[in-house]
Amino acid sequence: MQTSDRAKFNSKIGMVLATAGSAIGLGNIWRFPVMTGDNGGAAFIFMYILCVLILGIPLMTAEFIVGRHAHANTAQAFRKLTNGWLWRKIGKFGIITAWFILCYYIVVSGWTLDYLVDALFNRFNALAATGNADAYAHHFQNFVSDPYLPVIYMILFMLMSHFVIVRGVKKGIEKSSKILMPILFIIMVLLMISSLLTAGASEGLRFLFYPDFSKITVSTVLGAMGQAFYSLSVAMGCICTYASYFSKDVKLVNTAFKVAGIDTMIAIMSGVIIFPAVFSVGITPDAGPSLVFIALPNVFQQAFGNIPAMGYLVSVLFYGLLVLATLTSVISLQEVVTAYLSEEFALSRAKAAGIVTVVCVFVGSLCALSMGPLKDFTIGGRNLFDFFDFFSGQIMLPIGGFLIALFVGWFMRRRVIWEQLTNQSSIPGRGIRTIIVLLKFFVPFLILLIFLSGIGFFQLFS
Ligand code: PHE
């Protein structure tokens, strides 16, 4: 496809919603509350916001610059900008990272769909009626170890994303974001109100908003950095790909602040939904990754125990919310690879998206079954699902982010950066120097720290 007839987002609001849609996902509604719970609440949130400001926003801006300047898929974008052997590879590396993330992310996406169906059929109520506190954990275990169900739901989810992608950037990605994101926001507000009506409201809010700085440790800081990265969809080409569809007059720094602001607000709102309800039934907030799929269905039944219809409604809304948030993120991951395949190999959009769907269904199925029939197949002691999660999140994302920051901070032509951030000198270039300094020094250094801690480097010394 030629640069000139390349698709663009139609409106500013559509552009912001689509980019926010990529950022808002399981990272906000599932991972953020889990990390907050595990790391002592408000002190973690404080560190997280700091990380978004000094790490996330500069990196997002860097990807915006590369993407909009090049008007091409991520692999081509970096090749267009430099002759440096290493830097030319950043884009392709991002695309491989997107594949890796997609293949396990889609598995959890399938779980969200299954839980929405469970909620709709009021199955959580039936679990509550057994009176057995372990019923929810058994339910989850039975589901993830089933030989068919996780695969079926994963395929259904991938197909939803597929059909949005084949409709194109404007009619597919932008339009779906304009419909789904407002619904997501309304559901969040409704859920927040109902959670604040539970008995644990004040305790939940205290946990979220009163920082106890004695709880901050090195691992809290590193966890907050990794989370900021993941939640903003940076370091792997998603943001760069979407920016290639931005029009000339989009203000990049301003958009980075908007998207990061919306993403952080949604994460905190998820905390406001989850913790009051959790405290109201006396579950400890550090329940870990099982929080959303084991603790919460139980919490929703109990927190509104005297009004069963409320328990039903809140469960349906919550899992519906998860499906929506996850879908817009899956779409953005699929788009990274689809744009690459269709532009590099001159394939139609439908064909390129089809290839991504088929490969992801295949690899995703192996991941989906890795908690059941394939649980004995491990790589480095991890089942396939955990391996894809670990390898993409702890190894590939930090490497990608590190290289992007170094490239834009040190090697990209300054003129291109200024042109992109001032829209060819039509808006003031406030804050550009700060962003460049952050990209040159702070971001690579902090990423190196996350990386080393992720691979257990610091444990060697303790
Ligand atoms: N940001 C998404 C989330 O918070 C995850 C994601 C990462 C999506 C990378 C796209 C690319 O869930």
Side-chain angles (χ1 to χ4, degrees), residues 14 36 162 166 177 190 202 225 262 271 274 296 299 343 356:
T36 307
H162 176 88
V166 289
S177 308
L190 289 177
S202 59
M225 285 197 274
I262 298 175
I274 290 174
L296 279 189
V299 165
E343 290 177 5
V356 183

Side-chain angles (χ1 to χ4, degrees), residues 6 16 34 38 63 67 73 79 84 97 99 110 142 154 157 171 173 189 231 289 348 421 452 457:
R6 217 165 167 274
V16 171
V34 169
D38 283 348
E63 288 194 39
N73 69 76
R79 284 207 311 266
T97 310
W99 273 110
N142 286 343
M154 183 207 72
F157 208 100
K171 289 202 191 121
I173 300 176
V189 172
S231 186
S348 70
L421 295 185
L452 293 177
F457 181 78

Side-chain angles (χ1 to χ4, degrees), residues 22-28 101 105 230-231 233 236 238 329 332-333:
S22 166
I24 296 166
L26 291 167
N28 305 60
I101 298 182
Y105 200 88
Y230 182 84
S231 186
S233 304
M236 39 66 66
C238 244
S329 295
S332 73
L333 284 162

